[in-house]
Amino acid sequence: MMNDKIKKRVMILLLGILSFSLAIYAIRGVHDQEEDRKKVIFIPKTLDKTNGFWTSLIEGARLGAEEFNIDLEVVGGLSEEEVEEQIDYIQKSIEKKPDVLLVAPCSYSETADVLKEAVQKGVRLVLIDSVIEYDISTAIVATDNYAAGKELGHYAKSLLEKENEIGIIAHVKGASTAIEREAGIRKGLGEKEEMIQDVVFCGSSYNKAYDQAKKMIEQYPKLGMIMGTNEYASVGAARAVKELGMSNKVKVVGFDNSIEEIKLLEEGVFQGIVIQKPFNMGYLGMKQANDILEGKSIKKNTDSGCKLITEDNLYEEENQKLLYPFVGQE
């Protein structure tokens, strides 16, 4: 029979082997789990951290990726006008062979061919915020931009005096969001559409929109309203109107809900803003990607929602939650 010392050594050896085996198993389990994680690349229109809409949308996508255990990579340029740069990001992303590609196309037409190439190579495509001229995506998550523009135009109509003139500062020429929102605005204005004197494109630049607003005010003595079609256009116009002390004469309405926009609405520079739900949009985009990967039934078009905010409903509890989506989040 073994003496006590030999028994003890055997037990220690067996425990060591068991511990080593468990460690190897755990390492393999983590490795297998990492191997099983699906790869999604998200290419927004811009990574500009000063823009509340895109920073919120990206955060929503990141939350979705964490919840669904998806390996998410976010790449992109610093301007919505960098179409060629976005095309390059898409081409490089195709080479990485992601399971799903999420893209907010900067251009309705110019990004269409490279995205078609991605789909032809077997990459599942989810479009976020904007669309392209080809119906090739598996899913689309966006605001109903025509309906949002129509609602803003209808509201603006109620603010206009008979002799007023209107200027529109749009964001990027050729972007589907700009096209659809302007069409909706015109529809909402109805017979007052003829008051529109000028439509310019700021290239999603605060400073350019600011300069364009000042030029409009100088050029059109009867200008009674400036309408912006995204955060850059709206904020740039509002800054100019405020600086010139013209908020009693020139009304400003627009899109999105940065902290600065909310403050300008409180001050009476903005009369109304159509806020989108970018955090919701980003999260829903990742949910669609996850559903695609799990083979679930997919809804082709998902409206992420919007809401017209004015001085009258600004402080309603529901609207405060929309305006400040990060408050109370862990």
Side-chain angles (χ1 to χ4, degrees), residues 122-183:
V123 179
R124 272 76 64 87
L125 175 65
V126 176
L127 295 178
I128 301 289
D129 177 68
S130 301
V131 296
I132 57 173
E133 62 184 353
Y134 302 144
D135 183 16
I136 56 173
S137 64
T138 304
I140 300 167
V141 180
T143 302
D144 185 335
N145 289 291
Y146 178 82
K150 183 178 176 181
E151 183 174 14
L152 186 64
H154 184 74
Y155 173 68
K157 181 180 176 180
S158 69
L159 302 174
L160 292 162
E161 302 292 338
K162 187 176 180 180
E163 69 281 358
N164 282 163
E165 296 175 326
I166 302 171
I168 295 177
I169 300 180
H171 44 291
V172 176
K173 192 169 186 177
S176 67
T177 47
I179 296 166
E180 292 165 6
R181 289 174 195 174
E182 182 185 340

Side-chain angles (χ1 to χ4, degrees), residues 120-249:
Q120 288 173 338
K121 290 185 176 180
V123 179
R124 272 76 64 87
L125 175 65
V126 176
L127 295 178
I128 301 289
D129 177 68
S130 301
V131 296
I132 57 173
E133 62 184 353
Y134 302 144
D135 183 16
I136 56 173
S137 64
T138 304
I140 300 167
V141 180
T143 302
D144 185 335
N145 289 291
Y146 178 82
K150 183 178 176 181
E151 183 174 14
L152 186 64
H154 184 74
Y155 173 68
K157 181 180 176 180
S158 69
L159 302 174
L160 292 162
E161 302 292 338
K162 187 176 180 180
E163 69 281 358
N164 282 163
E165 296 175 326
I166 302 171
I168 295 177
I169 300 180
H171 44 291
V172 176
K173 192 169 186 177
S176 67
T177 47
I179 296 166
E180 292 165 6
R181 289 174 195 174
E182 182 185 340
I185 285 169
R186 289 178 179 277
K187 183 67 174 178
L189 285 169
E191 72 278 3
K192 293 190 177 180
E193 179 190 356
E194 64 185 22
M195 293 181 173
I196 298 173
Q197 300 299 310
D198 202 0
V199 179
V200 296
F201 294 88
C202 69
S204 281
S205 162
Y206 295 114
N207 291 336
K208 191 171 179 180
Y210 167 87
D211 291 336
Q212 289 170 332
K214 289 185 73 173
K215 185 177 179 180
M216 279 184 179
I217 291 169
E218 294 171 3
Q219 189 172 354
Y220 302 104
K222 295 181 181 179
L223 191 71
M225 177 175 288
I226 299 176
M227 307 180 76
T229 63
N230 77 346
E231 180 180 328
Y232 294 103
S234 304
V235 169
R239 287 175 182 173
V241 169
K242 180 181 177 180
E243 183 181 293
L244 294 171
M246 300 284 287
S247 55
N248 290 328
K249 181 183 177 183

Side-chain angles (χ1 to χ4, degrees), residues 6 31 37-38 42 58 85 103 115 123 126 139 158 175 192 227 255-256 271 273 283 320 322:
I6 293 174
H31 177 72
R37 290 184 76 194
K38 298 299 183 180
F42 176 31
I58 292 167
E85 288 82 352
V103 181
L115 290 174
V123 179
V126 176
S158 69
K192 293 190 177 180
M227 307 180 76
F255 275 81
D256 298 327
Q271 274 62 53
I273 51 176
Y283 178 85
Q320 285 289 297
L322 293 174

Side-chain angles (χ1 to χ4, degrees), residues 49 51-64 231 257-259 262 276-283 318-330:
K49 292 183 178 180
N51 184 283
F53 176 85
W54 288 107
T55 53
S56 181
L57 194 152
I58 292 167
E59 284 303 310
R62 291 191 190 282
L63 177 65
E231 180 180 328
N257 60 305
S258 66
I259 296 299
I262 297 166
Q276 301 180 78
K277 300 177 182 178
F279 189 87
N280 191 38
M281 193 184 297
Y283 178 85
E318 179 186 350
N319 293 339
Q320 285 289 297
K321 290 178 181 178
L322 293 174
L323 290 164
Y324 301 99
F326 297 109
V327 175
Q329 291 186 15
E330 295 296 330

